[in-house]
Amino acid sequence: MELADVPAQPVKKRNRMKLDAKIPEGPIQEKWSRYRNKLKLVNPSNKRKFRVIVVGSGLAGASAAATMSELGYAVDCFCFQDSPRRAHSIAAQGGINAAKNYPGDGDSIYRLFYDTVKGGDFRSREANVHRLAEVSGLIIDQCVAQGVPFAREYGGLLDNRSFGGAQVSRTFYARGQTGQQLLIGAYSALSRQVASGNVRMFTRMEMLDVVVVDGRASGIVTRNLVTGEVESHAADAVVLATGGYANVFFLSTNAMGCNVTAAYRAYKKGAGFANPCFTQIHPTCIPVAGDHQSKLTLMSESLRNDGRVWVPQQVGDTRPPNEIPDAERDYFLERKYPSFGNLTPRDVASRSAKEVCDEGRGVGKTGLGVYLDFRDATARMGRDTVAAKYGNLFDMYQRITDENPYQVPMRIFPAPHYTMGGLWVDYNLMSTVEGLFVIGEANFSDHGANRLGASALMQGLADGYFILPATIGNYFAQLGISHQTVSPDHAEFKQAEQGCTTRLNRLLNASGNRTVDSFHKELGRIMWENCGMSRNAEGLEKALQQIPELREEFWKNVKVMGAGEELNLSLEKAGRVADFLEFGELMCRDALTRNESCGGHFREEYQTPEGEAVRDDEQYCHSAVWEYTGDDAVPIRNEEQLEFEYVELALRSYK
Amino acid sequence: MHFTLKIWRQENADVAGGIQTYEVDDISGDTSFLEMLDILNDQLESDGGLPVAFDHDCREGICGTCSLMINGTPHGPETTTTCQLHMRSFQDGDTIFIEPWRAAAFPVVRDLVVDRSAFDRIIRAGGFVSIDTGSAQDANNTPIPKDDADYAFDAATCIGCGACVAACKNASAMLFVSAKVSHLAHVPQGDAERRGRVLSMVDTMDAEGFGSCTNYTDCEAACPKAISTDHIAVLNREFIRAKIGRTT
Ligand SMILES: Cc1cc2nc3c(=O)[nH]c(=O)nc-3n(C[C@H](O)[C@H](O)[C@H](O)COP(=O)(O)OP(=O)(O)OC[C@H]3O[C@@H](n4cnc5c(N)ncnc54)[C@H](O)[C@@H]3O)c2cc1C
Ligand code: SF4
Ligand code: FES
């Protein structure tokens, strides 16, 4: 394997943070069950003495809040939407993985574990991934028991489909609305607990800070988005389930409100941020149509089950797609990766699409698109079957593009979609701050450098239904029942409130003349160009210069209308963009110091002559965990070494 | 394209609101309705005005956050959500009226934003199956005939947007409530709590100040997820069954 000849960036190894992953002893198949048996328990009648704050009501947050409440803990749950049912998880389309092996095609816990570790390009923690695979089946049982209407076969049993990066059918789905149905399930469980009085639900509330007292997370500070009030909430533990940060790119498939604020503020309070540069660019999104665009729409990966991806063989072939004969089409995924074909993992598929567009063979007005064609599928299965499987996706495509995908192939292009990076957590899902737990997309745990399709829903629900409710009990048991909840009048709370108010006022008083969105768009452009689908040192260094400049201009020249004590959408947006403007820099720093290509992190300097990613296991078989050291100081890069005992560290090939 | 927008502005729940007129220009047909409002807000902010507050999040037609009465119709002229409506559905030069959902049970918070928490309270009254995490049996132990599963699914696609209430002359929430009742009445998991669920949800609906259903079916026409009024028939059947069950 040849490498492009570039000098490596020096990497400073300065582990200051204590990064004990607390992986239990024993063979991997037994770690979780043995560990669970040894976890300390809280007596049922004492559980209600412990209050836990859950920030977020997506799959992770809602499932955790409901389950902890069922166990007897007192729970306060927060979200910024007007109802917990509207969390971004609702938008997930394609499905959820589970190693049930109902189709009998050879699936097993081991295989799901193996596929996930390999899919993540060997940058995740084996023990966590194995546990995820172990509980995956229980999730399906739980959801079905709640009445979630998964797709069924004529015999009445559950149906499965296949997804990228796997050669078995292990994906459970509910038409193209799996996230919606799972979230409504979790929301209904949560609603039942709210009705019981054990969960207090706070909607239209944005968390602005975590409060740490004597080294332990003791509560949060929020802004009431209707009245503008800044308030403190105290608890014995805080759980962040606040989702991902793909909106750092401005245009992404995420909902408009998705943000990094909660995670980033926690980072500033001492929680290590792991692998921020590991972001996923999803191959099948509707291409950008114009400047007015506010977000990108995903077309579920499940479409790649039956759709074939191609571009014209010739540069400059502008014939309508249906007039281009097969011999003059390049089905580039099938050509390059014959055994996985159109079902190669996302990072590989996205990069291949970018490559053909870079060669000038892209399609559509902008040349930034490739075809996803259902002609052959329609001939094989008939239009009705295609419609039954993908009808709602086809309708959505037509509504947005005004083109009929039953007649002309869809045009797709990669777009930012998911973030594998997140707050570092140990095996208990606890961050580097005692008592601060992080679940769902907000943590970094299970997907390494690339997430496989249908495994985010699995992870969010595994964390929320099955893992956190067990491990948090151990934390409470250690605190002991004589533990006193810190008062929300404690000086640390007052100080945090003051800090939030000052910052809000600074935004309101910055009487500049540029809108918040214009800054967000500019940041997005910098990130997409330099820290997007492929990265190089030169671009990243440029971005590291541009972002602080943009940030400085933001604070001088941003214009936020309205007042603080009212519903103020510009103020909400401004606060989130201000955090993205700091966080973007951390992402670039992380990308620059990881001198290898792995998963979604493709550094142009590290590739084979054929353009495949080249990992460097000698130097980078670790998670990079960033430690905040002050607003004007360079953060410290700590490392958690990753050991691979059960899956052989191998070149990740989908050929 | 050029549009004249007549938009409801109201500072908060305690003060009166009114219609204000705005102009937007150079709007392409591919712009979504909410992106058109983004452009207006950009314009307003640049001129030192207050942006129009409206609810939205996913912009994919699935979260149910967006709302808006557009020319008197919830979610506008197409059978979809406001966020999935595109300006190509309008004519150049059109005047468009934009107002919040109007219902006593959905008070205005600001401008076009309303408070729909009454829906959450209805779900809390029984829109769930009482099953604690970890106590479920294997998923395939309960086969469900595909037709039942599909019917339940059709009901379960409700996004809780409230368009049905906004469309109804009586501001009734029957379609929303029936969607949940019918979903859980068509899967065996919902059986055990069937009676209590429908009674409690209907009681809460009444207590929240939603009007009664007099079969206008405007709700079905407005529903972006095409939830059928057949589910209201299911609800009525469930309700009567439950009442009888209660008195015998
Ligand atoms: C279009 C799309 C399709 C997808 N399809 C699939 C799929 O088919 N299969 C799959 O496995 N995965 C899929 N994913 C990924 C998956 O949906 C997400 O990773 C997952 O749902 C995240 O869940 P979560 O609970 O961690 O966070 P979210 O659902 O994002 O919830 C975040 C919660 O945190 C709250 N919050 C955030 N910040 C704050 C704050 N500062 N203060 C208060 N509250 C806050 C929000 O209100 C919300 O309740 C998809 C993602 C997208 C964008
Ligand atoms: S029934 Fe239809 S209109 Fe009513 S809340 Fe549900 S999706 Fe919206
Ligand atoms: S914004 Fe989510 S449905 Fe319209």
Side-chain angles (χ1 to χ4, degrees):
Chain A
M1 193 182 303
E2 272 175 61
L3 280 186
D5 185 22
V6 280
Q9 294 289 318
V11 186
K12 279 191 222 113
K13 288 204 176 163
R14 280 174 61 190
N15 260 21
R16 224 178 57 157
M17 272 180 159
K18 226 176 75 214
L19 294 176
D20 179 1
K22 306 214 175 80
I23 301 170
E25 296 296 312
I28 200 156
Q29 306 81 346
E30 292 169 27
K31 281 183 198 290
W32 175 235
S33 51
R34 281 205 212 169
Y35 184 67
R36 224 177 10 180
N37 290 337
K38 277 197 253 157
L39 285 174
K40 291 208 180 72
L41 298 173
V42 181
N43 174 313
S45 62
N46 285 329
K47 284 199 176 112
R48 69 191 143 80
K49 294 185 184 147
F50 292 98
R51 179 166 296 281
V52 49
I53 283 176
V54 178
V55 189
S57 64
L59 285 177
S63 59
T67 305
M68 290 190 294
S69 168
E70 287 163 12
L71 290 173
Y73 299 112
V75 180
D76 288 347
C77 183
F78 295 77
C79 70
F80 64 75
Q81 289 91 349
D82 69 330
S83 163
R85 67 179 291 156
R86 307 202 199 283
H88 168 60
S89 294
I90 200 102
Q93 302 172 348
I96 176 167
N97 287 331
K100 281 281 199 188
N101 194 27
Y102 285 157
D105 56 0
D107 200 10
S108 62
I109 287 172
Y110 179 80
R111 229 180 250 281
L112 174 55
F113 157 70
Y114 174 85
D115 286 348
T116 308
V117 170
K118 176 183 169 197
D121 215 354
F122 306 92
R123 290 295 174 264
S124 52
R125 210 186 269 149
E126 275 190 338
N128 285 51
V129 179
H130 199 277
R131 174 175 68 183
L132 176 65
E134 282 171 54
V135 303
S136 64
L138 298 177
I139 299 172
I140 304 302
D141 300 340
Q142 183 62 27
C143 295
V144 166
Q146 291 168 342
V148 169
F150 282 116
R152 288 180 183 268
E153 294 168 344
Y154 283 98
L157 299 179
L158 294 162
D159 190 22
N160 289 120
R161 55 163 62 143
S162 37
F163 247 56
Q167 287 172 318
V168 293
S169 289
R170 63 161 74 100
T171 305
F172 293 78
Y173 65 103
R175 293 191 198 153
Q177 288 136 271
T178 315
Q180 180 198 27
Q181 295 308 319
L182 294 175
L183 185 61
I184 297 297
Y187 159 78
S188 64
L190 176 61
S191 296
R192 172 173 165 242
Q193 294 307 309
V194 176
S196 80
N198 239 0
V199 175
R200 296 190 298 191
M201 185 71 222
F202 298 84
T203 60
R204 292 202 200 266
M205 288 278 232
E206 180 156 29
M207 178 200 123
L208 295 183
D209 212 350
V210 184
V211 178
V212 182
V213 177
D214 298 332
R216 289 184 189 279
S218 304
I220 60 171
V221 172
T222 57
R223 178 169 179 272
N224 179 319
L225 299 180
V226 177
T227 64
E229 239 169 303
V230 172
E231 301 160 352
S232 288
H233 307 266
D236 304 303
V238 175
V239 179
L240 297 187
T242 47
Y245 51 83
N247 276 349
V248 69
F249 292 101
F250 183 70
L251 285 182
S252 84
T253 62
N254 284 13
M256 302 298 285
C258 292
N259 66 83
V260 76
T261 292
Y264 192 71
R265 305 275 171 103
Y267 159 74
K268 284 186 153 184
K269 283 292 171 78
F273 208 113
N275 304 328
C277 82
F278 285 175
T279 48
Q280 178 162 82
I281 313 292
H282 195 293
T284 51
C285 302
I286 301 178
V288 178
D291 279 344
H292 55 80
Q293 197 132 359
S294 57
K295 73 156 290 171
L296 295 170
T297 302
L298 176 81
M299 291 280 100
S300 168
E301 170 164 298
S302 60
L303 292 167
R304 291 199 276 144
N305 263 307
D306 293 301
R308 298 179 68 196
V309 177
W310 64 276
V311 290
Q313 272 181 358
Q314 292 303 319
V315 175
D317 186 343
T318 54
R319 282 176 291 175
N322 291 337
E323 288 171 23
I324 301 180
D326 256 3
E328 294 172 49
R329 298 177 174 195
D330 178 13
Y331 291 94
F332 55 92
L333 290 177
E334 296 169 25
R335 171 173 58 79
K336 287 167 66 178
Y337 307 102
S339 58
F340 280 72
N342 293 296
L343 284 176
T344 53
R346 294 174 176 178
D347 52 337
V348 177
S350 289
R351 252 190 329 271
S352 302
K354 179 177 187 293
E355 257 169 47
V356 295
C357 293
D358 287 348
E359 290 163 21
R361 296 193 287 144
V363 302
K365 261 188 278 181
T366 57
L368 295 176
V370 301
Y371 290 124
L372 178 63
D373 200 338
F374 284 82
R375 181 196 64 184
D376 298 349
T378 311
R380 189 178 72 240
M381 316 189 272
R383 189 180 190 276
D384 289 349
T385 310
V386 171
K389 273 177 119 166
Y390 307 113
N392 65 325
L393 295 169
F394 278 35
D395 292 347
M396 181 153 83
Y397 181 85
Q398 182 159 15
R399 216 173 289 124
I400 291 170
T401 61
D402 212 13
E403 288 174 4
N404 181 350
Y406 291 104
Q407 285 159 11
V408 287
M410 288 184 176
R411 286 172 296 110
I412 53 166
F413 196 66
H417 174 62
Y418 179 88
T419 53
M420 284 76 69
L423 292 173
W424 183 89
V425 288
D426 64 14
Y427 193 73
N428 296 312
L429 304 180
M430 189 160 86
S431 71
T432 54
V433 174
E434 286 279 307
L436 178 68
F437 295 80
V438 191
I439 58 177
E441 190 172 343
N443 74 21
F444 88 118
S445 63
D446 301 347
H447 309 295
N450 172 60
R451 175 175 71 78
L452 291 182
S455 59
L457 302 183
M458 168 173 73
Q459 180 230 330
L461 290 180
D463 288 0
Y465 281 134
F466 296 105
I467 299 165
L468 178 78
T471 59
I472 204 167
N474 193 54
Y475 177 72
F476 288 140
Q478 281 168 355
L479 281 182
I481 48 159
S482 55
H483 166 80
Q484 293 288 318
T485 311
V486 177
S487 154
D489 295 324
H490 189 283
E492 286 290 341
F493 277 100
K494 292 298 146 200
Q495 209 182 335
E497 277 181 28
Q498 193 54 48
C500 295
T501 309
T502 309
R503 191 179 158 95
L504 291 165
N505 288 336
R506 242 184 104 193
L507 289 168
L508 287 164
N509 297 335
S511 49
N513 50 33
R514 267 183 77 177
T515 60
V516 175
D517 272 354
S518 80
F519 283 101
H520 196 178
K521 281 183 189 174
E522 189 171 336
L523 173 68
R525 224 169 8 243
I526 296 173
M527 297 305 293
W528 180 243
E529 277 166 20
N530 302 299
C531 200
M533 236 184 307
S534 65
R535 300 128 184 222
N536 61 52
E538 197 189 337
L540 289 164
E541 271 158 6
K542 194 173 74 192
L544 283 171
Q545 229 164 25
Q546 289 172 338
I547 298 170
E549 287 166 12
L550 185 64
R551 191 165 61 230
E552 203 183 314
E553 204 210 325
F554 174 87
W555 285 104
K556 273 198 209 133
N557 203 14
V558 73
K559 180 177 203 160
V560 182
M561 302 307 301
E565 302 77 35
E566 58 184 16
L567 188 143
N568 186 336
L569 298 168
S570 336
L571 181 61
E572 288 169 33
K573 247 187 336 200
R576 292 171 193 161
V577 172
D579 288 331
F580 277 136
L581 280 165
E582 293 181 26
F583 177 72
E585 190 178 331
L586 188 67
M587 269 176 74
C588 293
R589 208 177 282 289
D590 187 41
L592 183 62
T593 46
R594 185 172 280 279
N595 293 301
E596 64 165 349
S597 294
C598 60
H601 171 66
F602 189 76
R603 276 282 300 271
E604 288 161 10
E605 299 95 323
Y606 309 99
Q607 56 178 310
T608 63
E610 302 83 48
E612 299 295 331
V614 175
R615 274 198 337 254
D616 179 352
D617 292 331
E618 285 280 295
Q619 292 228 43
Y620 291 97
C621 196
H622 61 241
S623 296
V625 187
W626 294 90
E627 177 181 355
Y628 176 77
T629 51
D631 274 340
D632 303 313
V634 176
I636 294 174
R637 187 180 192 275
N638 298 275
E639 293 172 9
E640 182 203 339
Q641 282 305 320
L642 299 168
E643 315 285 340
F644 290 89
E645 286 179 69
Y646 293 86
V647 182
E648 197 193 342
L649 260 177
L651 183 70
R652 178 168 163 258
S653 167
Y654 290 95
K655 293 218 167 178
Chain B
M1 289 194 273
H2 176 99
F3 300 103
T4 302
L5 307 173
K6 303 264 186 191
I7 303 181
W8 183 264
R9 303 299 309 258
Q10 181 175 343
E11 215 176 297
N12 57 51
D14 304 328
V15 300
I19 297 276
Q20 304 258 337
T21 306
Y22 306 94
E23 308 284 330
V24 285
D25 218 346
D26 265 344
I27 304 288
S28 104
D30 287 338
T31 311
S32 74
F33 198 85
L34 296 183
E35 285 166 354
M36 185 275 294
L37 288 179
D38 290 342
I39 293 171
L40 170 71
N41 277 345
D42 228 44
Q43 210 170 292
L44 288 174
E45 285 187 305
S46 301
D47 299 342
L50 286 179
V52 179
F54 60 90
D55 261 328
H56 66 106
D57 199 21
C58 73
R59 296 204 175 187
E60 288 194 6
I62 193 74
C63 71
T65 312
C66 64
S67 52
L68 307 187
M69 289 301 264
I70 300 170
N71 289 333
T73 308
H75 295 302
E78 317 276 344
T79 314
T80 183
T81 54
T82 295
C83 59
Q84 290 287 289
L85 178 66
H86 287 75
M87 296 316 289
R88 64 177 93 90
S89 299
F90 298 86
Q91 302 287 323
D92 187 20
D94 273 0
T95 296
I96 307 173
F97 279 83
I98 308 172
E99 292 171 87
W101 286 168
R102 302 274 186 206
F106 290 163
V108 171
V109 177
R110 180 177 193 128
D111 295 341
L112 306 170
V113 175
V114 300
D115 177 355
R116 284 170 290 195
S117 53
F119 271 10
D120 287 327
R121 290 188 290 274
I122 293 176
I123 298 294
R124 278 171 210 161
F128 49 76
V129 173
S130 297
I131 171 97
D132 284 354
T133 304
S135 52
Q137 56 169 347
D138 185 87
N140 259 353
N141 279 353
T142 324
I144 303 179
K146 191 171 180 336
D147 289 346
D148 284 351
D150 286 348
Y151 193 80
F153 195 102
D154 288 339
T157 57
C158 165
I159 58 175
C161 64
C164 45
V165 175
C168 176
K169 292 184 184 61
N170 308 327
S172 165
M174 278 295 263
L175 194 62
F176 169 77
V177 177
S178 73
K180 184 46 64 189
V181 167
S182 181
H183 160 204
L184 293 176
H186 283 90
V187 290
Q189 290 83 358
D191 263 352
E193 296 165 289
R194 207 159 163 173
R195 294 210 156 108
R197 170 178 308 116
V198 62
L199 294 176
S200 166
M201 287 180 76
V202 169
D203 276 354
T204 309
M205 171 179 80
D206 292 342
E208 289 289 344
F210 291 101
S212 48
C213 173
T214 47
N215 299 320
Y216 284 116
T217 69
D218 289 344
C219 50
E220 181 180 305
C223 175
K225 297 293 147 184
I227 306 284
S228 154
T229 43
D230 290 356
H231 297 294
I232 296 185
V234 173
L235 182 141
N236 287 331
R237 202 179 62 217
E238 293 289 310
F239 187 77
I240 291 165
R241 236 178 73 152
K243 277 284 187 199
I244 295 168
R246 196 189 248 178
T247 49
T248 50

